Amino acid sequence: MNEGTIALVTGANKGIGYEIAAGLGALGWSVGVGVRDEGRREGAVEKLRAAGVDAFGVPLDVTDDASVAAAAGLIEERAGRLDVLVNNAGITGGMPQTPTTVDPATMRAAVETNVIGVIRVTNAMLPLLRRSASPRIVNMSSTVGSLTRQATPGAETGPISAAYAPSKTFLNAVTLQYAKELRDTNILINAGCPGFCATDLNGFRGVRTPEQGAAIAIRLATLPDDGPTGGFFDDAGPVPW
Ligand SMILES: NC(=O)c1ccc[n+]([C@@H]2O[C@H](COP(=O)([O-])OP(=O)(O)OC[C@H]3O[C@@H](n4cnc5c(N)ncnc54)[C@H](OP(=O)(O)O)[C@@H]3O)[C@@H](O)[C@H]2O)c1
């Protein structure tokens, strides 16, 4: 049994997920680097270890039941519990995606990864999280999923997006349902938005660095026991639903 803090970050081979793993590792935590591709996983683990992080590879495709079950088994064997889960893996489903022309396959892909993937991973990890003294779950969402902002004339809400933005709205709604069910436990679950960061997800058009984007996840992963649950935050504070 590992007595230090154990975290798992999904989609940790690049972009914001990699920086979340690096940031949690810099706290001295042991970080599971959840990555679906073996080469990309080994590359990320090697780079993190070279930076001094106690990183270990976790084969993980969030859309695959067997992969997720095996990932939970690996963490159970290695650490016996999980303290922090960061559901970071995400896809846009491919752009452009105007509602009037969107391919249903694009919708399904975005929801499968961004919503069902989060549920699949969270539920597989919950038995391990329940063994932690201060479990935290962070769901990487986006302000583009804010219905309030979408309905506010002039608000910055990203491109027209039939699949990606609604998938984050769906994820926010699911986060609230988890918070409701887990309210009487010590598990804190929140959604965070990293801001518009330059990553593969947007062809590196973002204006923030992935490291800046990782900050909100690290903050929500390190909340005190009396911290919020069922919230949606970015660096500036609460984001309207
Ligand atoms: N960048 C932004 O401006 C921005 C803004 C708001 C929210 N976000 C959110 O932040 C999170 C990270 O985004 P990012 O910008 O860092 O994107 P990114 O650079 O494209 O990284 C996405 C990560 O998710 C992984 N992934 C995708 N599908 C997966 C699956 N089925 N199983 C496991 N891993 C999978 C990718 O792995 P592969 O390398 O194997 O594809 C990659 O590691 C996402 O949830 C995104 O929606 C980003």
Side-chain angles (χ1 to χ4, degrees), residues 11 13-16 36 40 60-63 88-91 113 140-142 164 168 194-197 199-202:
N13 53 298
K14 65 180 181 181
I16 297 163
R36 55 183 164 178
R40 292 196 286 273
L60 180 58
D61 180 337
V62 304
T63 65
N88 165 80
I91 60 168
T113 298
M140 288 309 271
S141 182
S142 173
Y164 179 67
K168 294 299 187 180
F196 188 35
C197 303
T199 68
D200 262 341
L201 191 92
N202 50 39

Side-chain angles (χ1 to χ4, degrees), residues 22 43 57 63 92 97 103 112 125 165-166 170 180-181 192 194 198 209:
T63 65
T92 62
Q97 42 180 244
D103 182 344
E112 184 61 46
M125 300 300 160
F170 193 169
K180 207 165 151 181
E181 183 182 347
T209 65

Side-chain angles (χ1 to χ4, degrees), residues 25-135:
L27 301 174
W29 294 8
S30 182
V31 182
V33 179
V35 181
R36 55 183 164 178
D37 175 83
E38 186 179 355
R40 292 196 286 273
R41 182 172 61 252
E42 285 175 359
V45 168
E46 206 172 296
K47 200 170 151 196
L48 286 162
R49 283 188 183 156
V53 174
D54 176 16
F56 61 99
V58 180
L60 180 58
D61 180 337
V62 304
T63 65
D64 184 301
D65 286 339
S67 167
V68 172
L74 186 154
I75 293 170
E76 160 125 56
E77 200 172 302
R78 184 183 174 94
R81 66 163 207 288
L82 183 65
D83 299 300
V84 171
L85 169 63
V86 182
N87 287 305
N88 165 80
I91 60 168
T92 62
M95 292 286 181
Q97 42 180 244
T98 47
T100 53
T101 61
V102 69
D103 182 344
T106 301
M107 301 295 303
R108 283 195 199 97
V111 171
E112 184 61 46
T113 298
N114 300 351
V115 184
I116 300 172
V118 171
I119 295 169
R120 183 181 286 114
V121 173
T122 300
N123 290 353
M125 300 300 160
L126 263 173
L128 299 171
L129 286 159
R130 288 184 193 278
R131 294 180 198 155
S132 170
S134 300

